[in-house]
Amino acid sequence: MAFHVMLIPTLGCPSNCSYCWSSEEGSELMSIETVEEVVKWLENFRDEPVTFTFHGGEPLLAGYDFYKRALPLLTESLSHLKPALALQTNLWNLTDEMAELFHEYGIPIGSSIDGPKDLNDLQRGEGYFEKTMKGYKIAKAHDLKVSFISTITSHSVNFKEDIFNFFLNDGLTLKLHPALPSLRDSNPEKMALAPEDYGKLLIYLLDKYLENIDDITVMNIDNLCKCVFLRRGTVCTYVDCMGDTFAVGPDGSIYPCYRFVGMPEYVMGNVRDHPTVEDLAKSAPAKLLEEYKNYVDQECSGCHYIKFCRGGCPYNAITPNKGEINGVDPHCTAYKMIFKEITDRANKEFLSSPAMGMFGASKSKEQDSKPSIMSLMLKRS
């Protein structure tokens, strides 16, 4: 069982996205000494493989020299953990020198673009699109694998066809996030995507993906289909992530996930103290997340999708209620909608498959010619 450590070199970010909930102006930068402490902490922490994701804020603000020293520290000193590396960035600060370094270490990059230029810059700020695409060209010139997250808001969901066609026509891999209530806006719900609208969007993307399966990858749909096929979650939103995911803030503080970084009440410990698995499990945030897991077991026990949903993201469930557990992820409505859609279609395909012919079921020529839900379930990443 692999575990995941997110490294947050800074919470600062040069962009000014209207719905942002994770950026702090003037945030400190992680020192290389903190990375050294991360290595000491993890040397005997767990024996399983580890994935490191550099996240933020904007992690490239740490600069080339930081990564030139940090990457060999993590990969060589922790080679027994078979570390994998990843990076989430807006790409603004990417240089040829950095890109060559990331290529050397085989680091896949996640970035963010919300769709066509005008729509993207309306949500993320003037000039964002051109700066990100400039960085994207540098990344591609160095053969880096780049995928994009599109944050869908209450505004942009009305342009879902334009967004899908932008990713399709530009040959970009699409992953989408529903906008959450902003922690920086006086009207935090203004751009948040309503759960029912999110569910309808996922069903729309399922249809569009099946129509264009050879020309685009929609990561959300791939993951959701695999959840149904395997009867378990395959990404962090749909699994019990507690104890298998950690985030390290710029000062070395350890949190349950990058989404909690910068919130003192969710600090589990510090890498400088080299806490054990047992030490972190005794922390107040760990106990709170364990309480959430137990809540899901009880409240969702009658749900058809509990095994491959697990109540959704704990952050989404807990932070809007100021640390109180009185509900699951608010996007539960959306998850039920898409899981039901995938399950119903998969069952229908199964009942009309050749294997069921002996029981009198038949499959039309139209069904034969169309890509199926099963083709998505079995699609290799």
Side-chain angles (χ1 to χ4, degrees), residues 227-228 231-233 238 300-311 332 335-344:
C227 285
V228 175
R231 310 298 293 176
R232 61 173 175 79
Y238 310 117
C300 303
S301 60
C303 179
H304 294 300
Y305 314 115
I306 183 173
K307 288 184 179 179
F308 42 92
C309 174
R310 296 302 305 152
C332 172
Y335 304 150
K336 285 181 177 178
M337 288 171 68
I338 187 62
F339 281 134
K340 182 179 188 303
E341 188 73 19
I342 293 170
T343 302
D344 287 351

Side-chain angles (χ1 to χ4, degrees), residues 40 53 70 144 169 186 246 254 298 302 311 339 347 355:
K40 293 175 184 175
T53 299
L144 291 173
N169 296 333
S186 57
F246 304 96
I254 302 170
Q298 181 176 342
F339 281 134
N347 288 339

Side-chain angles (χ1 to χ4, degrees), residues 127-189:
Y128 185 107
F129 185 92
E130 289 185 0
K131 292 176 183 176
T132 293
M133 285 317 211
K134 180 181 177 182
Y136 176 61
K137 289 179 181 177
I138 294 173
K140 295 304 289 180
H142 292 270
D143 294 323
L144 291 173
K145 181 181 178 182
V146 182
S147 58
F148 285 94
I149 292 173
S150 172
T151 298
I152 307 295
T153 67
S154 57
H155 171 72
S156 68
V157 72
N158 299 306
F159 303 92
K160 58 183 181 291
E161 185 173 1
D162 295 330
I163 294 170
F164 181 84
N165 287 336
F166 166 77
F167 282 89
L168 175 67
N169 296 333
D170 283 48
L172 304 176
T173 295
L174 170 61
K175 181 179 180 182
L176 64 94
H177 278 179
L180 299 166
S182 173
L183 299 180
R184 294 169 41 184
D185 198 295
S186 57
N187 181 11
E189 299 285 346

Side-chain angles (χ1 to χ4, degrees), residues 1-5 42 45-51 80-83 232-246 277 293 310:
M1 182 71 181
F3 68 106
H4 191 186
V5 176
L42 294 178
F45 182 70
R46 286 176 60 164
D47 291 331
E48 297 91 350
V50 61
T51 295
H80 62 291
L81 300 181
K82 301 178 182 177
R232 61 173 175 79
T234 59
V235 291
C236 66
T237 303
Y238 310 117
V239 298
D240 292 323
C241 57
M242 310 79 170
D244 289 321
T245 299
F246 304 96
V277 171
K293 177 178 176 292
R310 296 302 305 152

Side-chain angles (χ1 to χ4, degrees), residues 17-314:
C17 303
S18 55
Y19 44 72
C20 183
W21 47 269
S22 64
S23 179
E24 284 184 12
E25 292 184 12
S27 171
E28 65 180 296
L29 289 173
M30 181 180 286
S31 68
I32 203 66
E33 287 75 24
T34 299
V35 178
E36 291 171 345
E37 293 296 338
V38 168
V39 169
K40 293 175 184 175
W41 166 47
L42 294 178
E43 279 176 339
N44 299 301
F45 182 70
R46 286 176 60 164
D47 291 331
E48 297 91 350
V50 61
T51 295
F52 291 105
T53 299
F54 293 94
H55 215 294
E58 174 44 57
L60 293 190
L61 290 177
Y64 173 80
D65 289 341
F66 172 83
Y67 288 100
K68 182 68 175 177
R69 298 178 65 185
L71 298 183
L73 269 173
L74 296 169
T75 55
E76 295 170 16
S77 303
L78 297 173
S79 59
H80 62 291
L81 300 181
K82 301 178 182 177
L85 303 169
L87 175 73
Q88 182 68 35
T89 168
N90 62 22
L91 293 172
W92 291 14
N93 289 63
L94 186 67
T95 63
D96 287 303
E97 190 178 36
M98 273 188 184
E100 189 58 36
L101 179 64
F102 296 150
H103 179 266
E104 179 185 343
Y105 282 87
I107 299 178
I109 290 179
S111 191
S112 298
I113 208 89
D114 288 351
K117 180 178 182 295
D118 289 346
L119 177 62
N120 177 86
D121 285 4
L122 177 68
Q123 298 191 158
R124 290 186 171 269
E126 189 67 31
Y128 185 107
F129 185 92
E130 289 185 0
K131 292 176 183 176
T132 293
M133 285 317 211
K134 180 181 177 182
Y136 176 61
K137 289 179 181 177
I138 294 173
K140 295 304 289 180
H142 292 270
D143 294 323
L144 291 173
K145 181 181 178 182
V146 182
S147 58
F148 285 94
I149 292 173
S150 172
T151 298
I152 307 295
T153 67
S154 57
H155 171 72
S156 68
V157 72
N158 299 306
F159 303 92
K160 58 183 181 291
E161 185 173 1
D162 295 330
I163 294 170
F164 181 84
N165 287 336
F166 166 77
F167 282 89
L168 175 67
N169 296 333
D170 283 48
L172 304 176
T173 295
L174 170 61
K175 181 179 180 182
L176 64 94
H177 278 179
L180 299 166
S182 173
L183 299 180
R184 294 169 41 184
D185 198 295
S186 57
N187 181 11
E189 299 285 346
K190 179 175 63 178
M191 300 196 79
L193 185 65
E196 186 170 346
D197 290 338
Y198 182 32
K200 291 177 181 177
L201 174 65
L202 289 170
I203 294 171
Y204 167 83
L205 287 173
L206 174 62
D207 288 327
K208 296 296 289 185
Y209 193 10
L210 287 170
E211 291 171 12
N212 299 275
I213 193 170
D214 294 326
D215 301 311
I216 192 172
T217 294
V218 183
M219 295 172 68
N220 304 67
I221 302 302
D222 281 348
N223 291 326
L224 289 162
C225 287
K226 284 181 172 60
C227 285
V228 175
F229 180 66
L230 297 173
R231 310 298 293 176
R232 61 173 175 79
T234 59
V235 291
C236 66
T237 303
Y238 310 117
V239 298
D240 292 323
C241 57
M242 310 79 170
D244 289 321
T245 299
F246 304 96
V248 179
D251 65 350
S253 294
I254 302 170
Y255 301 82
C257 173
Y258 81 98
R259 288 184 162 189
F260 295 104
V261 174
M263 304 170 74
E265 64 270 34
Y266 293 102
V267 173
M268 305 172 74
N270 194 289
V271 295
R272 290 175 175 80
D273 299 321
H274 310 156
T276 64
V277 171
E278 292 75 21
D279 291 334
L280 296 180
K282 293 174 184 175
S283 68
K287 290 178 179 178
L288 180 64
L289 292 182
E290 184 65 22
E291 185 182 340
Y292 176 74
K293 177 178 176 292
N294 294 333
Y295 177 88
V296 170
D297 285 336
Q298 181 176 342
E299 295 297 316
C300 303
S301 60
C303 179
H304 294 300
Y305 314 115
I306 183 173
K307 288 184 179 179
F308 42 92
C309 174
R310 296 302 305 152
C313 176

